[in-house]
Amino acid sequence: MSKEFEVGFEGVLPATPEQAWAAITIATAAWSWPIVYEPRLGGAEKGLTHYGGTVTAWEPGKHFATRCEAPDGWFNDLDYVLEQDEGGTFLRFTHTGIFFEDWDTSYDACRQHTALYYHSLGEYLAHFRGCEAVYAITDAPAASSEPDGFAKVKAALGVPEDVEVGDAVELALGITGTIDYRTPNFLGVRTKDTLYRFFGRNAFGWPVAVGRHLFAPDANAAEELWRDWLDAVFT
């Protein structure tokens, strides 16, 4: 049965309103995934969903919103309000929409992904602000959707079971950095030139995935390397 939902994020971003605005409306590949917004009220949105959408608020440095709709009644609204704050910019983000099936799982997944993405926005602004980003994400094989899928990936990476945010780590595939995010279903590692995002989507019945926000001038998404590595983990 269809039911509307609302999730959100509120917090201070380490940037001016203008810098936060640019990250949200232009540099989306640096913290979520590539999305293109035509910079005007009524402008087109491409990449957020496969439907495309429309910019419904465009007040640079203050308020941005976008909406997409489908003929069956589905809709998806994102709304960002930015305010100057003593420590940077206070962001109030609201995401509303509708799920047609498996509402509890869809809502839980949306809520947890939102928390990771807006943490990643803060990491980008604090450590890589203004850098061009290459984004890549690789899904693990279907077998990773089993209950132990994420645990297998973390074990193969060499992630200590007692690791905490702020810990320095040396992981598989030459990843040397700092744990910047850790929940039961998600792990973030920040290196000198990359934000690695490990998605334990098996918690929602989906394959595990590995996302990379790459900031080095000669960034290589290494898609084949990651695909082969994930295949080996689940062989």
Side-chain angles (χ1 to χ4, degrees):
M1 184 175 69
S2 64
K3 182 179 176 182
E4 294 188 14
F5 71 89
E6 177 178 313
V7 298
F9 168 87
E10 291 188 358
V12 177
L13 300 174
T16 66
E18 292 74 21
Q19 291 166 337
W21 175 269
I24 291 165
T25 62
I26 300 172
T28 58
W31 57 276
S32 58
W33 64 87
I35 306 166
V36 177
Y37 300 108
E38 189 178 2
R40 63 178 179 84
L41 182 64
E45 165 269 302
K46 296 180 181 179
L48 181 61
T49 73
H50 66 273
Y51 291 108
T54 303
V55 174
T56 55
W58 186 268
E59 301 175 52
K62 296 181 180 179
H63 185 206
F64 169 67
T66 183
R67 179 180 177 88
C68 47
E69 300 176 344
D72 60 2
W74 178 90
F75 72 94
N76 194 62
D77 284 346
L78 305 185
D79 188 273
Y80 301 81
V81 176
L82 299 92
E83 300 174 0
Q84 182 73 52
D85 184 89
E86 184 176 345
T89 298
F90 184 80
L91 169 64
R92 182 178 295 104
F93 167 72
T94 306
H95 178 192
T96 55
I98 190 167
F99 295 130
F100 285 133
E101 56 186 32
D102 200 0
W103 193 94
D104 289 339
T105 298
S106 297
Y107 176 78
D108 195 29
C110 183
R111 181 180 57 81
Q112 293 189 41
H113 281 76
T114 295
L116 172 63
Y117 290 137
Y118 288 90
H119 168 81
S120 298
L121 173 58
E123 289 291 291
Y124 161 67
L125 288 168
H127 300 282
F128 302 107
R129 183 193 312 151
C131 295
E132 293 287 333
V134 172
Y135 174 73
I137 189 165
T138 306
D139 287 333
S144 69
S145 62
E146 295 297 322
D148 62 349
F150 195 39
K152 286 184 176 180
V153 168
K154 289 188 291 183
L157 284 168
V159 178
E161 290 188 4
D162 61 349
V163 74
E164 299 289 346
V165 170
D167 287 353
V169 290
E170 294 185 8
L171 306 178
L173 299 178
I175 299 173
T176 300
T178 301
I179 300 295
D180 71 271
Y181 193 81
R182 178 179 178 268
T183 68
N185 299 323
F186 296 88
L187 183 73
V189 180
R190 186 185 68 249
T191 72
K192 65 179 181 180
D193 58 16
T194 304
L195 290 175
Y196 288 96
R197 280 10 195 173
F198 299 94
F199 297 85
R201 290 173 172 163
N202 58 309
F204 317 114
W206 312 328
V208 171
V210 180
R212 287 93 69 202
H213 305 277
L214 304 129
F215 300 100
D218 57 348
N220 181 350
E223 177 67 26
E224 184 175 353
L225 174 68
W226 277 103
R227 191 173 304 283
D228 289 347
W229 185 85
L230 287 166
D231 285 347
V233 171
F234 291 97
T235 297

